[in-house]
């Protein structure tokens, strides 16, 4: 059995005084792939944001432990330094900051050391090739003028370059055409093959086709109502969420 890289214990949280999560317990083993599914408003994205440390959401009870360290009270940037990564449904545009400059700064902040330019450039080139992306991608301002599909591919590009311990992908495959899903899936698969740990929040199951899912969890009304293996995904596809309430 894999050792737990992430532990969530009795997590209660919400926004603007309204509780959304009502006692979440979750253990994620190192190198595992976990899928979070559930109807709209179930609390899936809230859970992802709480793990990442988004200050909009307020934790009222519970703990978050990453690699043996209690990170419950750490800010988002400190969590990122410790190896957490989150891909958002709608990535922000950052005018005046190129993707290359952003990645170079992120690596420097995480390691506390100057970036080795030759190795960095080589990693950039290899990742561009893997995702079939033009070199101009990294020279453009971060997400500015990007299409929806380009933003999602840019997030996976960042994932592969930064190589975090654990990644949370929030609806990464939503709104993508077949080719874009294939490209994104290829990047996610490579991250997992290299030992990355993954939590995927999704309504669709297209991105799961190339992955070996270890655990599936269903959130309804802020609670995990059922957990299982990859077969639970097929069960949901066939019968929906109503049968699990």
């Amino acid at each position: 059995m894999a050792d737990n890289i992430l532990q969530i214990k009795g997590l209660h949280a919400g926004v603007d005084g309204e509780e959304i999560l009502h006692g979440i317990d979750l253990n994620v083993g190192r190198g595992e792939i976990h899928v979070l599914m559930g109807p709209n408003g179930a609390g899936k994205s809230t859970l992802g944001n709480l793990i990442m440390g988004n200050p909009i959401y307020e934790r009222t009870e519970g703990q978050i432990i990453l690699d043996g360290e209690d990170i419950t009270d750490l800010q988002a940037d400190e969590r990122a330094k410790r190896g957490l990564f989150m891909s958002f449904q709608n990535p922000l545009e950052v005018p005046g900051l190129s993707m290359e400059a952003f990645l170079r700064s992120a690596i420097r902040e995480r390691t506390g050391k100057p970036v080795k330019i030759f190795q960095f450039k080589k990693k950039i080139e290899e990742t561009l090739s893997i995702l079939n992306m033009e070199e101009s991608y990294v020279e453009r301002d971060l997400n500015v003028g990007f299409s929806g599909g380009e933003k999602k591919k840019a997030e996976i590009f960042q994932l592969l370059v930064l190589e975090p311990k654990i990644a949370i992908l929030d609806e990464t495959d939503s709104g993508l055409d077949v080719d874009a899903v294939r490209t994104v899936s290829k990047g996610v698969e490579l991250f997992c093959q290299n030992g990355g740990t993954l939590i995927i929040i999704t309504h669709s199951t297209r991105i799961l086709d190339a992955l070996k899912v270890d655990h599936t969890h269903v959130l309804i009304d802020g609670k995990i109502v059922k957990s299982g293996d990859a077969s639970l995904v097929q069960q949901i596809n066939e019968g929906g969420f109503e049968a699990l309430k």
Side-chain angles (χ1 to χ4, degrees), residues 123-138 140 149-150 153-154 156-157 160 178-187 190:
K123 182 68 173 179
I124 290 287
E125 292 173 1
E126 290 174 348
T127 307
L128 286 171
S129 176
I130 290 169
L131 297 179
N132 296 316
M133 295 169 65
E134 297 290 338
E135 188 174 345
S136 59
Y137 254 97
V138 297
R140 295 165 64 181
E150 287 177 327
K153 286 197 289 185
I156 300 304
F157 179 84
L160 293 178
V178 174
D179 291 335
V181 168
R182 188 177 295 114
T183 298
V184 167
S185 296
K186 183 178 179 181
L190 181 59

Side-chain angles (χ1 to χ4, degrees), residues 93-105:
E93 297 185 0
V94 187
L97 179 67
S98 71
M99 188 190 301
E100 182 174 354
F102 165 74
L103 288 169
R104 194 165 57 243
S105 175

Side-chain angles (χ1 to χ4, degrees), residues 185-211:
S185 296
K186 183 178 179 181
V188 172
E189 183 180 13
L190 181 59
F191 171 72
C192 295
Q193 288 174 349
N194 290 337
T197 303
L198 191 63
I199 297 175
I200 302 179
I201 301 168
T202 185
H203 285 100
S204 168
T205 58
R206 294 182 301 169
I207 197 172
L208 305 178
D209 291 342
L211 302 176

Side-chain angles (χ1 to χ4, degrees), residues 150-190:
E150 287 177 327
K151 287 182 179 180
K152 298 299 177 70
K153 286 197 289 185
E155 294 264 280
I156 300 304
F157 179 84
Q158 294 165 37
L159 170 67
L160 293 178
V161 172
L162 294 174
E163 299 179 327
K165 293 179 181 177
I166 181 169
I168 304 165
L169 306 185
D170 190 0
E171 302 288 354
T172 298
D173 54 345
S174 65
L176 299 183
D177 60 31
V178 174
D179 291 335
V181 168
R182 188 177 295 114
T183 298
V184 167
S185 296
K186 183 178 179 181
V188 172
E189 183 180 13
L190 181 59

